[in-house]
Amino acid sequence: MVSILFQFTTMPPFNITGYSTALFSTWYFVDELRLLFDAGDGLSAALLQKGRRVKHIFISHPDRDHLGGLFQFHQLNAREDWPRIYYPKDSRSFPYMEAFLKTFDPHVSGARWQPIEDGETVWIGNNIGVEAIRNEHIPAAPGLSKSFGFKVFEKKQKLHPDLQGLPAEQIQKIVLERGKDQTTVSQRVDLLAYSGDTPIGSPSLWQGVKTLIHEATFLESEGHTLNAEHLNKHSTLEQVLNMVAQTDVEELILGHFSTRYDAAQIDLRIQECCQNMGIKIPVHRVLPGQVVENILQKTPLKG
Ligand SMILES: [Zn+2]
């Protein structure tokens, strides 16, 4: 009986469906959490009735390829209090959109628009929080929030380490005697994270995350005609895999590839990098132009 009290209720792998192509559109739908990361064009046409399941929409930044699907999604699915649309608080695009959509589609004006700031947590379920993490995709003064990644975590009370390993009956007795506050410790588990569009961050940012969705706009930083300013806003595949190799991330989803690369080039480069860097975890990818259903159930690419 006691052990049941301390078990985690939500565990990966999540059923994640997504589309992510640099410049055109990005969105990821996490079915169990009823959550969308970003809302690019084509979202409603791909999800069809499943779109109705979405309750929480976290928009990473106001680039049009990350929010262009909101118009149709809103028209089809907004109802009293839902969905909740969370956006970086210092992005002025969102209040304009809210005002426009409430006028454009007054019959569905129930959606709630909520500005959030760096480090803020939105609770979307029992013990399930989504934390906004500022990144530097859009330059902003310190203290301003214009571009985010997100971490989904579960907060749980776990049995105090001193009591672990004792017989169940004894644990039950001690918990009854001393109360839960004295016999449990709070633990946070980072179940899932989404980088948004971002220059590469330090490995410590994603350390401990079980499933990471990360952008990899360019395969490498050299050999093409991009200017430094463009490169500095995004991550390269090499940078992401090199960063992940220094973490305990358990599973990786790569997306936001540029259409300058074809599928074979992307897969080959992922496999080469995984081999060179000794990456053993499952690596999935969302190739340009493709909606991928239940990404984590697909056969992963490995080194
Ligand atoms: Zn983008």
Side-chain angles (χ1 to χ4, degrees):
M1 286 298 284
V2 170
S3 62
I4 289 167
L5 283 173
F6 302 107
Q7 270 175 5
F8 284 82
T9 49
T10 313
M11 293 302 284
F14 291 115
N15 181 347
I16 303 171
T17 293
Y19 180 97
S20 183
T21 304
L23 201 63
F24 290 96
S25 170
T26 287
W27 55 266
Y28 293 95
F29 169 56
V30 188
D31 197 333
E32 293 85 347
L33 301 173
R34 306 188 71 168
L35 171 155
L36 270 177
F37 289 130
D38 284 329
D41 190 21
L43 163 70
S44 297
L47 286 181
L48 302 172
Q49 277 81 358
K50 252 190 284 176
R52 201 68 181 167
R53 287 185 49 74
V54 173
K55 294 178 91 172
H56 303 276
I57 304 178
F58 289 84
I59 307 286
S60 63
H61 66 293
D63 283 352
R64 303 317 188 226
D65 54 321
H66 293 253
L67 54 70
L70 270 181
F71 295 83
Q72 174 68 330
F73 186 89
H74 179 270
Q75 195 264 126
L76 289 170
N77 296 300
R79 60 234 188 242
E80 198 52 41
D81 283 341
W82 301 102
R84 310 265 163 92
I85 300 163
Y86 311 96
Y87 61 89
K89 99 174 159 34
D90 298 300
S91 267
R92 286 181 304 162
S93 302
F94 295 96
Y96 287 126
M97 279 184 70
E98 177 181 5
F100 170 75
L101 285 178
K102 283 183 169 165
T103 314
F104 193 51
D105 290 319
H107 57 294
V108 286
S109 60
R112 281 216 231 151
W113 298 68
Q114 190 176 321
I116 55 175
E117 55 190 335
D118 181 26
E120 187 170 341
T121 291
V122 175
W123 293 97
I124 62 167
N126 269 350
N127 303 316
I128 302 285
V130 180
E131 181 187 5
I133 300 157
R134 175 192 162 122
N135 66 41
E136 302 305 316
H137 180 64
I138 298 177
L144 295 186
S145 297
K146 292 193 171 184
S147 182
F148 287 151
F150 300 101
K151 275 184 192 173
V152 180
F153 63 89
E154 180 167 36
K155 208 137 205 201
K156 274 288 187 181
Q157 292 302 113
K158 268 196 75 180
L159 196 59
H160 196 284
D162 290 352
L163 301 180
Q164 280 167 23
L166 294 177
E169 275 179 24
Q170 201 178 340
I171 293 173
Q172 200 156 19
K173 199 166 154 243
I174 295 171
V175 171
L176 281 174
E177 275 170 19
R178 301 187 201 161
K180 267 197 162 181
D181 284 354
Q182 301 297 318
T183 50
T184 61
V185 287
S186 177
Q187 192 192 30
R188 169 177 163 153
V189 179
D190 290 334
L191 302 171
L192 176 67
Y194 169 56
S195 69
D197 284 7
T198 183
I200 196 72
S202 108
S204 60
L205 191 59
W206 307 118
Q207 176 67 15
V209 169
K210 289 181 179 294
T211 303
L212 174 63
I213 305 170
H214 205 292
E215 76 123 298
T217 305
F218 306 112
L219 295 195
E220 40 228 314
S221 44
E222 284 163 21
H224 49 60
T225 53
L226 288 164
N227 61 33
E229 191 203 350
H230 204 149
L231 267 174
N232 291 341
K233 288 176 153 192
H234 291 284
S235 305
T236 69
L237 176 65
E238 260 183 77
Q239 289 173 332
V240 177
L241 290 172
N242 187 44
M243 182 274 291
V244 166
Q246 299 171 64
T247 68
D248 60 357
V249 166
E250 293 174 14
E251 202 159 25
L252 179 64
I253 297 173
L254 296 164
H256 206 268
F257 292 105
S258 162
T259 52
R260 73 187 61 214
Y261 312 111
D262 64 31
Q265 274 176 299
I266 293 168
D267 283 357
L268 182 66
R269 197 68 195 114
I270 293 173
Q271 279 164 327
E272 282 173 358
C273 285
C274 284
Q275 206 136 33
N276 294 342
M277 297 173 190
I279 291 174
K280 298 276 192 285
I281 60 167
V283 177
H284 299 266
R285 80 290 191 234
V286 177
L287 293 168
Q290 296 183 8
V291 174
V292 184
E293 283 189 36
N294 208 346
I295 299 166
L296 295 175
Q297 289 303 309
K298 300 279 187 284
T299 307
L301 285 165
K302 281 190 195 172

